[in-house]
């Protein structure tokens, strides 16, 4: 994929068609050192026209990586459309699960608060449901947290919704790396996503 960024904010992506079809289990050979030296491995959905092999590769990674390394998984709509049963093998070895409200509903047809708790019983230590302008709801080790945006929803002038979930995930994972509490991680995710929604450049994070 070729990513171009203009003005430090706007971005466009040009993807080589069907390149994900080439990803197979054989490509994991030689990547062990990379995974072993990571603190977090973040994975999201792969579009593939030939079947589910990319998801199977990701499931293998989650199974085999050193338990010291946290697995973060953002299945997106592409994978949540497959249904919960198809994702259970990778969820079993996931530490941080990130979804939006619609994706959560596709997996478990219940209110997001109940669905988040039920997903946490399948393996993930953190289950995070982003709620757009309303902030986020998460479960960590069986305890629930709600993180509201610092700016009231009605005062947010949204410039661009596309990619906000990715920015939230980046902020949340940065919080995990910095050793912040679950609620502080969600607050940081909201803050980072808020800069993107309002079309502002991100300040440098204080570590």
């Amino acid at each position: 994929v070729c990513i171009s960024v203009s003005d430090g904010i706007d971005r466009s992506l040009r993807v080589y068609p069907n390149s994900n079809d080439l990803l197979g289990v054989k490509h994991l050979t030689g990547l062990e050192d990379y995974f072993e030296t990571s603190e977090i491995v973040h994975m999201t959905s792969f579009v593939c026209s030939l079947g589910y092999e990319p998801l199977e590769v990701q499931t293998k990674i989650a199974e085999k990586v050193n338990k010291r390394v946290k697995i973060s998984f953002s299945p997106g709509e592409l994978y949540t459309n497959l249904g919960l049963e198809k994702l259970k093998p990778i969820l079993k070895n996931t530490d941080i699960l990130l979804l939006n409200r619609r994706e959560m509903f596709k997996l478990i047809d219940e209110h997001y608060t109940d669905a988040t708790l039920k997903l946490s019983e399948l393996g993930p230590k953190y289950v995070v449901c982003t709620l757009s302008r309303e902030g986020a709801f998460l479960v960590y080790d069986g305890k629930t947290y709600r993180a509201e945006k610092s700016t009231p929803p009605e005062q947010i002038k949204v410039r661009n919704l596309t990619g906000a979930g990715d920015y939230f995930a980046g902020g949340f994972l940065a919080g995990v790396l910095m050793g912040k509490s679950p609620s502080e991680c969600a607050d940081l995710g909201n803050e980072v996503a808020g800069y993107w929604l309002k079309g502002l450049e991100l300040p440098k994070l204080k570590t």
Side-chain angles (χ1 to χ4, degrees), residues 33-196:
D33 290 343
Y34 171 78
F35 292 128
E36 291 299 313
T37 56
S38 301
E39 292 187 49
I40 294 177
V41 173
H42 179 67
M43 299 187 288
T44 187
S45 55
F46 279 78
V47 178
C48 181
S49 64
L50 301 179
Y52 304 120
E53 190 166 9
L55 176 57
E56 292 167 6
V57 172
Q58 291 170 302
T59 302
K60 290 283 186 185
I61 292 171
E63 286 175 358
K64 293 185 175 183
V65 76
N66 191 308
K67 296 307 177 186
R68 175 192 60 79
V69 180
K70 293 181 176 66
I71 295 294
S72 171
F73 184 45
S74 181
E77 204 160 328
L78 182 68
Y79 278 178
T80 54
N81 282 337
L82 300 177
L84 184 58
E85 288 303 314
K86 193 71 179 178
L87 298 182
K88 278 185 177 180
I90 192 169
L91 294 180
K92 182 173 64 175
N93 294 294
T94 294
D95 297 287
I96 304 164
L97 178 62
L98 299 144
L99 309 101
N100 63 33
R101 181 167 16 200
R102 185 167 61 179
E103 294 160 355
M104 183 81 67
F105 189 73
K106 285 176 178 291
L107 294 182
I108 297 180
D109 185 7
E110 295 183 22
H111 191 271
Y112 67 84
T113 54
D114 298 320
T116 304
L117 281 164
K118 288 188 175 181
L119 285 171
S120 71
E121 296 171 357
L122 300 179
K125 182 173 286 188
Y126 298 84
V127 179
V128 186
C129 180
T130 57
L131 304 170
S132 188
R133 292 171 181 264
E134 299 169 43
F137 179 83
L138 69 144
V139 173
Y140 173 77
D141 271 354
K143 296 181 180 179
T144 61
Y145 303 83
R146 182 177 291 276
E148 298 180 353
K149 292 189 182 298
S150 55
T151 304
E154 64 274 10
Q155 295 180 20
I156 298 177
K157 294 181 179 180
V158 176
R159 181 179 183 275
N160 192 353
L161 280 171
T162 304
D166 296 331
Y167 276 78
F168 177 92
F172 188 92
L173 296 178
V176 173
L177 286 171
M178 290 188 282
K180 293 183 177 292
S181 69
S183 58
E184 289 173 328
C185 291
D187 287 339
L188 185 54
N190 278 334
E191 183 178 354
V192 172
Y195 275 94
W196 173 250

